[in-house]
Amino acid sequence: MVHDARGWWIAEAGPPPLLPALAGDVDADVVVIGGGYTGLWSAWHVLEAAPDARVVVLEADRCGFGPSGRNGGFVQSMTFSLPALRRQYGSPAAEELAAASEESVRAIGDWCAEQDVDAWYRPAPHLIVSAAPAHDGLGVAAVDGERVVALNGEQVRARCASPLFREGVEVKVGATVQPARLAFGLRERLRERGVRIFERSRVGALEGAMARTHGGRVRAGAAIVAAGAAAAAMPPLRDRITVSSSHIVLTEPVPDVVEALGWVGGEAISDGRTLLHYLRTTPDGRIAFGWAGGRMGVGARTGGRMEVDPEVVAQTRADLVRYFPALAGRAIEHAWGGPIDVSPTHLPHVLSLPGGRAHAALGYTGNGVGPSHLAGRALAALALGRRDGPAALAIVGAAPRRVPPEPLRVTGAALIRRALVAKEQAEQSGRRPGAVVRALAALPGRIGLHIVR
Ligand SMILES: Cc1cc2nc3c(=O)[nH]c(=O)nc-3n(C[C@H](O)[C@H](O)[C@H](O)COP(=O)(O)OP(=O)(O)OC[C@H]3O[C@@H](n4cnc5c(N)ncnc54)[C@H](O)[C@@H]3O)c2cc1C
């Protein structure tokens, strides 16, 4: 097995050649900080609205080498979160948001087709399944019989015959992609449209809309901060997110197993845990199996065990075989992880920084592939001075609960994570978790500190 910090998707896609770093001063209308999906979609939407705008992207590493190029590739809407969205924003705003997020799922597919980017976009429903009695009934609040439908055990197992699957719900609008191909495709199409992209160009300071790297400055009319989990190190955004990690193991091609499971519809599947498992197939018959049970990041540190944590990988691998016993003797070829920007509401938000010339999106909480397209629309509108349309969506400008300061954030969150792991392992094997574990696992909701999902 290759423990590969970058992940298999990036290798499969074949990363494009590195672009030169920023050297000297450049003027722009919009400077984008971060070349993941949020930054790249923002740049795209700026050009859609203002084709002559001068757009510069500054990327600390290489575009798509962060979580955007190594995630599970689930392209999800926010429809399953409608009950939470209604509580947070009220019904009309929640409905508008869910509809816009579904539109983004489709728009990503349309974009790939129009732009001739082969990102393996495949419309695929998202099944949220119960794999333990404690998780039965999860998701029923979201069932509307149309966009989200309930499935009994037989129906779930007809889609994917894991012996653990008990029941579930199906979210109709969704898709899967090869995430790195999408990120690299975006990067290339932006360059073709004249966007100047500088790689290995970490922004160390942002003053208004002027971004400074070690090699130069970009003086812009507006800035878009799309730095993912690294936002946790940026003072105005520091108390908006905690950083956790998620890991994926990838099998060798096992088309025989996929076939025997009847898992032939390309469904994206996740389970009902808080530290959830997520699983999908690939066109060459592999199974990618993820677990959001990684450790908490200290500060904004996103390397090291955030990217490859052997203990988390070993647990993920063991869980994979529990879900699919037929994989017992089969090779796991790759394993990797990455940081997750977790917001207190588990919903992404878009906000303007003090001064009003810079705008940021963060807090996707492990669900940014679809929503980053929508957040990118909102960020582009804000950067162009608009306050209507996508800039008026409920996730924009909302003041989410803040996370507790460090060191409480990290020590508290690490304790809670351990409790959640213990609780969910006990539930999985049909045991009742102990009282201390239950109390700790219930804490996040009470103190506004959420771990994942
Ligand atoms: C293992 C894993 C599995 C996941 N699975 C899924 C999934 O299946 N579906 C889903 O919807 N979501 C998933 N996610 C989450 C998803 O990948 C993210 O929500 C999404 O990629 C966020 O995109 P982004 O552009 O906001 O952030 P990122 O992809 O993190 O991009 C931010 C970029 O900013 C750069 N940067 C940081 N600081 C600076 C700076 N100072 N100057 C310049 N550049 C900077 C970084 O190098 C990085 O390239 C997963 C994440 C992980 C780690």
Side-chain angles (χ1 to χ4, degrees):
M1 174 168 58
V2 181
H3 278 224
D4 174 2
R6 296 295 186 201
W8 179 74
W9 305 119
I10 289 177
E12 194 285 330
L18 177 70
L19 294 170
L22 178 68
D25 287 359
V26 170
D27 289 326
D29 297 305
V30 179
V31 60
V32 176
I33 300 164
Y37 297 139
T38 302
L40 298 175
W41 281 125
S42 299
W44 183 266
H45 294 305
V46 166
L47 287 185
E48 288 293 278
D52 296 329
R54 295 163 305 160
V55 181
V56 171
V57 176
L58 297 173
E59 163 54 46
D61 184 3
R62 298 176 68 171
C63 294
F65 271 40
S68 291
R70 53 175 126 139
N71 58 73
F74 286 34
V75 188
Q76 289 165 246
S77 73
M78 296 167 77
T79 302
F80 183 67
S81 302
L82 256 174
L85 294 173
R86 287 196 192 100
R87 280 194 299 277
Q88 183 85 9
Y89 303 120
S91 235
E95 292 292 346
E96 185 188 25
L97 199 50
S101 71
E102 290 191 356
E103 192 41 47
S104 275
V105 172
R106 297 188 196 95
I108 293 170
D110 292 346
W111 184 89
C112 289
E114 281 156 19
Q115 297 298 320
D116 197 21
V117 167
D118 180 12
W120 300 358
Y121 182 93
R122 179 177 184 181
H126 179 199
L127 308 187
I128 296 134
V129 302
S130 166
H135 302 140
D136 289 353
L138 181 114
V140 287
V143 171
D144 64 4
E146 217 172 288
R147 289 174 295 178
V148 184
V149 300
L151 303 177
N152 63 29
E154 208 177 308
Q155 289 168 321
V156 171
R157 289 187 297 276
R159 310 291 281 278
C160 175
S162 165
L164 296 187
F165 291 172
R166 304 167 53 82
E167 58 172 46
V169 301
E170 174 178 359
V171 183
K172 296 281 186 185
V173 173
T176 55
V177 287
Q178 202 288 30
R181 284 173 170 245
L182 178 59
F184 297 156
L186 262 166
R187 174 188 183 270
E188 290 319 298
R189 293 299 175 266
L190 285 171
R191 292 184 65 216
E192 287 162 15
R193 287 186 77 171
V195 172
R196 300 182 68 185
I197 301 180
F198 298 96
E199 298 189 313
R200 301 266 160 88
S201 299
R202 178 179 299 280
V203 173
L206 177 67
E207 294 147 30
M210 188 188 70
R212 204 184 285 274
T213 71
H214 62 277
R217 295 181 304 177
V218 179
R219 288 181 301 234
I224 289 173
V225 181
M234 299 178 175
L237 300 171
R238 180 174 285 164
D239 56 0
R240 306 274 174 173
I241 50 172
T242 45
V243 179
S244 171
S245 79
S246 196
H247 281 69
I248 293 177
V249 296
L250 183 78
T251 67
E252 63 178 337
V254 288
D256 52 321
V257 176
V258 172
E259 182 81 31
L261 290 167
W263 192 5
V264 291
E267 292 87 350
I269 303 177
S270 58
D271 66 16
R273 290 177 169 219
T274 302
L275 304 174
L276 85 171
H277 294 108
Y278 48 99
L279 31 146
R280 59 166 286 186
T281 54
T282 64
D284 61 346
R286 298 168 191 265
I287 294 176
F289 187 92
W291 183 41
R295 284 164 227 258
M296 305 302 299
V298 177
R301 218 181 315 136
T302 52
R305 283 203 300 205
M306 291 273 114
E307 312 222 323
V308 180
D309 185 329
E311 279 173 47
V312 175
V313 167
Q315 183 62 53
T316 311
R317 182 180 194 160
D319 289 346
L320 166 68
V321 177
R322 267 190 320 101
Y323 273 66
F324 303 118
L327 289 175
R330 310 299 285 266
I332 303 296
E333 287 193 348
H334 297 268
W336 68 92
I340 301 278
D341 50 327
V342 181
S343 82
T345 55
H346 287 184
L347 301 167
H349 50 273
V350 176
L351 69 165
S352 298
L353 302 190
R357 292 178 65 196
H359 315 279
L362 70 172
Y364 296 106
T365 316
N367 182 16
V369 179
S372 59
H373 178 275
L374 184 58
R377 286 179 58 209
L379 287 166
L382 289 170
L384 294 171
R386 316 236 159 104
R387 296 294 176 264
D388 54 355
L393 285 168
I395 47 167
V396 181
R401 274 167 287 158
R402 290 169 185 257
V403 297
E406 291 191 24
L408 180 66
R409 179 192 312 180
V410 170
T411 45
L415 252 180
I416 291 164
R417 172 194 169 270
R418 275 210 295 277
L420 276 170
V421 171
K423 173 176 173 280
E424 298 194 325
Q425 272 169 359
E427 287 168 350
Q428 189 73 65
S429 40
R431 285 180 286 117
R432 183 170 155 79
V436 176
V437 161
R438 274 187 284 127
L440 276 171
L443 255 185
R446 293 203 196 120
I447 62 172
L449 200 161
H450 288 251
I451 310 289
V452 281
R453 211 187 164 79

